[in-house]
Amino acid sequence: MKKGFTITYEYGGNLYVNPTNRCNFNCEFCLRHNGHDGSIYTHNLWLEREPTKEEILASIESWDLNQYRQLVFVGFGEPSYRIDDICWVIDQLKAHGKKIFTRMDTNGTGSLIHGRDICPDFAGRFDMVSISLNTDTAEKYDALCHPVQAGAYQAMKDFAKEIQKYVPKVMMTVVDTIPKEEIENCRRICEDEIGAIYRVREYIED
Ligand code: SF4
C-alpha cells in the first residue's frame, strides 16, 4: 500500500481534513477495502504517519478558507481518535480570526473509544456533526461494522442524543442501498428516538 501525506483536500465546495487512519470499526462497505487508497473525493488518503496538530493547522491554513462552505473533519479512519488535537486546531483557527462552518463526520463512538464523554468538547467548536446510523438493530450493526468494542450501537445512539446539547446541527445517515423498511425504521430511530436530522445518502461505488 502506497502511503502519502494528504492532510487536507477540497471536494464539492468543502475543505476536508484527514487526521487519522485509525478506526475501531471494519465496515463491510468501507472504502478502505480492496486496495482502495481514497474515495471519489480524492486519492492517497493512507497516511505515512499521523500528522501532528501543528501540521493539521498549517495544512488547513495553507488554503483560503473563504473559498469553502465547510471545514469537515473526516479522515480515512475515525476522526474522533484525534478529538483533543482537533479541538486545539479549531481553537487556533478562531484565535487567528478564521471563520468557517465546522463539521465532523463520525461513526459516533468517540466516547466509547476514549472512555469518557467527549460531547462537551464540541461546544462552541463544531457547527455540525454527522453520524453514521447505518442500520436499525445492534445485531445488524455489529454484522455490518464489526466494531472492536461491545455495545457500539447503543454507544453511537447515546452519543447522537448527547451531542445535540452542544452542537446546533446533528445529522444521522444511512445509505440508500438498505431495504425500504429498514430506511423507515432508521428514520424513526433518528427522528423520534434521538431527535436528529435524518439523511439517506447515495451509496459510493466501491
Ligand atoms: S467507520 Fe468509516 S473508516 Fe471506519 S471502517 Fe467504517 S467506513 Fe471505514
Side-chain angles (χ1 to χ4, degrees):
M1 185 67 64
K2 192 171 155 286
K3 294 187 175 181
F5 206 50
T6 306
I7 307 172
T8 51
Y9 54 94
E10 355 172 45
Y11 182 78
N14 293 335
L15 186 66
Y16 288 83
V17 185
N18 176 31
T20 189
N21 290 154
R22 281 182 281 167
C23 192
N24 56 329
F25 284 15
N26 186 17
C27 301
E28 297 282 336
F29 52 82
C30 185
L31 291 167
R32 310 193 304 176
H33 291 157
N34 303 332
H36 290 279
D37 67 355
S39 65
I40 54 164
Y41 297 176
T42 193
H43 295 292
N44 209 18
L45 290 175
W46 287 113
L47 294 159
E48 59 194 19
R49 63 173 173 81
E50 278 198 350
T52 64
K53 60 184 192 290
E54 290 83 3
E55 286 169 332
I56 296 173
L57 179 65
S59 181
I60 293 170
E61 290 191 324
S62 70
W63 303 86
D64 174 7
L65 295 185
N66 295 318
Q67 292 183 79
Y68 305 106
R69 287 181 291 119
Q70 299 182 359
L71 179 65
V72 188
F73 292 85
V74 53
F76 211 44
E78 169 48 41
S80 63
Y81 273 96
R82 301 291 306 273
I83 186 65
D84 293 345
D85 291 336
I86 289 170
C87 287
W88 180 88
V89 165
I90 292 174
D91 290 348
Q92 292 300 307
L93 290 172
K94 283 183 193 291
H96 298 171
K98 305 278 165 60
K99 287 193 176 64
I100 187 163
F101 186 99
T102 50
R103 182 179 115 203
M104 181 185 283
D105 289 357
T106 171
N107 68 18
T109 62
S111 296
L112 191 64
I113 289 169
H114 291 282
R116 68 175 179 90
D117 177 15
I118 65 167
C119 293
D121 298 2
F122 287 69
R125 296 188 171 109
F126 279 92
D127 297 297
M128 178 177 173
V129 173
S130 178
I131 303 158
S132 305
L133 174 58
N134 289 324
T135 187
D136 56 350
T137 69
E139 293 70 27
K140 281 192 240 172
Y141 189 78
D142 286 352
L144 187 67
C145 301
H146 308 287
V148 169
Q149 302 94 338
Y153 189 63
Q154 189 58 49
M156 174 273 296
K157 290 200 298 178
D158 291 346
F159 175 85
K161 207 160 193 173
E162 187 66 15
I163 196 69
Q164 291 174 74
K165 294 180 188 164
Y166 305 101
V167 174
K169 189 170 181 183
V170 177
M171 183 177 280
M172 300 186 86
T173 64
V174 298
V175 288
D176 59 5
T177 48
I178 63 174
K180 280 218 158 46
E181 192 192 328
E182 198 171 326
I183 287 179
E184 286 316 304
N185 288 344
C186 288
R187 182 187 304 282
R188 274 193 293 277
I189 291 168
C190 174
E191 293 179 348
D192 302 344
E193 187 184 324
I194 293 168
I197 301 161
Y198 188 54
R199 178 164 168 244
V200 181
R201 289 187 293 122
E202 194 184 338
Y203 177 69
I204 301 169
E205 283 291 332
D206 189 14

